[in-house]
Amino acid sequence: MATVSSTDDLAHLPWWRSSASRMVTLYLVIATVISAQQTLGKARSNNFAIFRASFWHLVHDQDLYAWYRAEHWDLFKYSPTCALLFAPFAVLPYDVGLLCWNLLNAAVLSGSVVLLLSGRAGVAALLIVLLEAFGALQNTQSNALIAGLIILSVVAIERDRTGAGAAAVITSGAIKLFPLSAGLFGLMTPMRWRHVAWCTVLGVVFVALPLLVTSPDTLLQQYRSWGAISRQDSAKVGMAWLGGVIELAFGRAIPHAPVQLFGIFVVVGGAWLARDRWTDPIVRHLLLASLLIFSVIFNHMAESPTFVIAYAGVGIWWAAIPRERWRDVVVLAIVLLGSVGGSDLVPRDVRLQWHGRIQLKAIVTIVGWFALQADLWRYLRTSRAGAPRPSVPRDIAPRENGPLLPAIPTPAAPALRAR
């Protein structure tokens, strides 16, 4: 398996410090400003209130999935382990806990991207996801954290840190179930059985972790309640995913399973075709980008703040492969129509018409995912035919007709070393 140089090896490179670290700082500043606005304003964050209250409900043996309208106006829908993991933010004063929560989300997302893509490539990917990250932080949801943990699972695998990769997968899966799909990448390495063992052990530990504060009988009942509320949510229609777009187009509900099985078939099929090419960084990053987008557009519970996960995939896709004009157009359309078009930069009536009614953000992201599949399959086919391919991670890849930016003398990117 191929490994990349550690973060310490990158730290001495001036272009890495000046570009990537400044982008991470920008994300942290945005998280701080958003937290200040939320704590100084009259209305407190409902999502943060739900997370915060869930820990105390777990500790006091209360049903995590019941209504608590005196505390917040929606239901807690995550695992009992997620409620326990929120303890550090629940025991802190509200304002401090909110700030720490937003900083964690911003740091994990931005840090994971610059660890995966060095230099301007990481900066470009973070710029593509910036508005979606802003929206996710405003909603104080966990989606930015989940996106970062999925990316970190691949970063850890690239560095042969199987335990760390499994920990990232299981931790994200303790918040929402769909990130467990990132475990697929560990199966593509020579250490697949070690990866399975780590995931199994950590999975059992995380499922049982709430026993630190509650009894076995109460925990079992919590899991039953979680299953019941999850089954209720599976009946929702018109959400921001492929099945929801189809439902809006035909004006009626459709079975969700066939649509989701199609997405699973495409993702697993792409991984199977690339099983002997995992050491190629472009293949790894395209598969990761595909999974990130898949996690949203085939998720029957997807809504606008969830798209920070998909847009992280769009950014990685665009930055990981040599540029072509058609791809530039697709990604630009995704950003302008989906991200900018759904923001406060656009009049509210326009947003409601195009985003609230026809799920435009979902539509352009779905188009991007299919374009990514074409890129992946074409790259696998041409590289197998003997076409030259890059063997090291690149800064922003050159366009067919010229470079993205004027040439800047910088140290060479750290090479992959085969073992």
Side-chain angles (χ1 to χ4, degrees):
M1 176 180 175
T3 60
V4 297
S5 299
S6 68
T7 309
D8 293 338
D9 296 330
L10 293 174
H12 72 282
L13 298 176
W15 54 265
W16 195 89
R17 289 199 308 269
S18 63
S19 57
S21 63
R22 287 176 184 172
M23 201 64 186
V24 172
T25 302
L26 174 61
Y27 268 66
L28 297 178
V29 169
I30 289 173
T32 303
V33 172
I34 289 174
S35 300
Q37 290 175 335
Q38 291 169 332
T39 55
L40 295 176
K42 294 181 180 179
R44 291 197 166 190
S45 167
N46 184 66
N47 288 319
F48 185 71
I50 293 173
F51 284 129
R52 182 181 171 88
S54 68
F55 170 72
W56 298 113
H57 295 158
L58 178 69
V59 170
H60 296 138
D61 292 337
Q62 296 172 277
D63 187 353
L64 289 169
Y65 308 98
W67 282 99
Y68 297 94
R69 289 184 172 88
E71 302 176 30
H72 45 73
W73 49 266
D74 204 348
L75 293 167
F76 179 73
K77 300 180 180 180
Y78 308 107
S79 73
T81 303
C82 177
L84 179 66
L85 293 177
F86 214 79
F89 311 100
V91 299
L92 289 171
Y94 179 91
D95 295 352
V96 178
L98 177 64
L99 174 61
C100 292
W101 172 245
N102 282 336
L103 286 175
L104 175 67
N105 276 262
V108 173
L109 174 60
S110 58
S112 66
V113 171
V114 300
L115 285 173
L116 183 81
L117 299 167
S118 60
R120 289 176 293 173
V123 172
L126 286 174
L127 285 173
I128 288 172
V129 77
L130 181 61
L131 278 180
E132 295 304 314
F134 190 91
L137 292 171
Q138 280 186 319
N139 284 274
T140 58
Q141 293 190 354
S142 59
N143 295 305
L145 175 61
I146 288 173
L149 286 171
I150 293 174
I151 297 168
L152 284 177
S153 71
V154 173
V155 171
I157 289 171
E158 286 182 336
R159 289 156 173 76
D160 289 342
R161 295 172 182 172
T162 310
V169 171
I170 299 302
T171 302
S172 58
I175 304 172
K176 296 185 178 182
L177 288 177
F178 67 81
L180 292 174
S181 58
L184 171 69
F185 298 130
L187 301 178
M188 300 181 67
T189 71
M191 295 185 292
R192 59 182 62 88
W193 292 114
R194 186 185 299 180
H195 171 77
V196 170
W198 269 109
C199 285
T200 302
V201 171
L202 291 174
V204 171
V205 169
F206 270 56
V207 167
L209 203 58
L211 291 174
L212 293 173
V213 297
T214 191
S215 67
D217 289 343
T218 302
L219 179 59
L220 182 59
Q221 185 56 46
Q222 299 283 19
Y223 277 112
R224 287 172 179 164
S225 295
W226 184 33
I229 197 172
S230 298
R231 287 190 294 272
Q232 292 175 9
D233 284 340
S234 66
K236 288 188 175 181
V237 299
M239 300 296 285
W241 69 296
L242 178 58
V245 171
I246 296 173
E247 287 171 336
L248 289 174
F250 288 93
R252 61 182 179 87
I254 64 170
H256 292 173
V259 180
Q260 292 168 330
L261 287 173
F262 167 74
I264 293 172
F265 173 79
V266 174
V267 170
V268 174
W272 173 258
L273 291 174
R275 64 191 183 280
D276 58 343
R277 299 292 311 283
W278 179 250
T279 55
D280 187 332
I282 291 182
V283 171
R284 287 199 304 272
H285 297 164
L286 289 179
L287 289 174
L288 171 60
S290 176
L291 182 74
L292 287 165
I293 302 173
F294 158 85
S295 298
V296 176
I297 65 171
F298 288 93
N299 181 355
H300 63 275
M301 289 298 295
E303 53 187 354
S304 185
T306 317
F307 274 77
V308 64
I309 302 171
Y311 274 66
V314 172
I316 292 170
W317 166 43
W318 187 82
I321 194 166
R323 292 182 59 200
E324 296 182 47
R325 280 203 176 95
W326 71 266
R327 190 183 307 109
D328 293 347
V329 171
V330 172
V331 172
L332 184 62
I334 292 172
V335 173
L336 291 180
L337 297 178
S339 198
V340 176
S343 71
D344 290 337
L345 298 173
V346 172
R348 184 174 182 273
D349 291 343
V350 176
R351 293 202 312 272
L352 292 176
Q353 177 67 32
W354 292 99
H355 283 261
R357 295 185 181 179
I358 70 170
Q359 299 292 8
L360 182 60
K361 182 182 291 186
I363 291 172
V364 294
T365 308
I366 291 165
V367 171
W369 185 75
F370 280 103
L372 190 161
Q373 305 311 312
D375 258 344
L376 175 61
W377 296 336
R378 182 179 62 171
Y379 181 77
L380 291 173
R381 184 176 65 253
T382 56
S383 58
R384 279 200 178 98
R389 64 181 187 271
S391 59
V392 298
R394 295 142 312 145
D395 209 340
I396 290 295
R399 195 201 302 191
E400 289 179 327
N401 297 325
L404 172 68
L405 296 171
I408 301 175
T410 60
L416 290 148
R417 54 179 183 275
R419 294 201 312 170

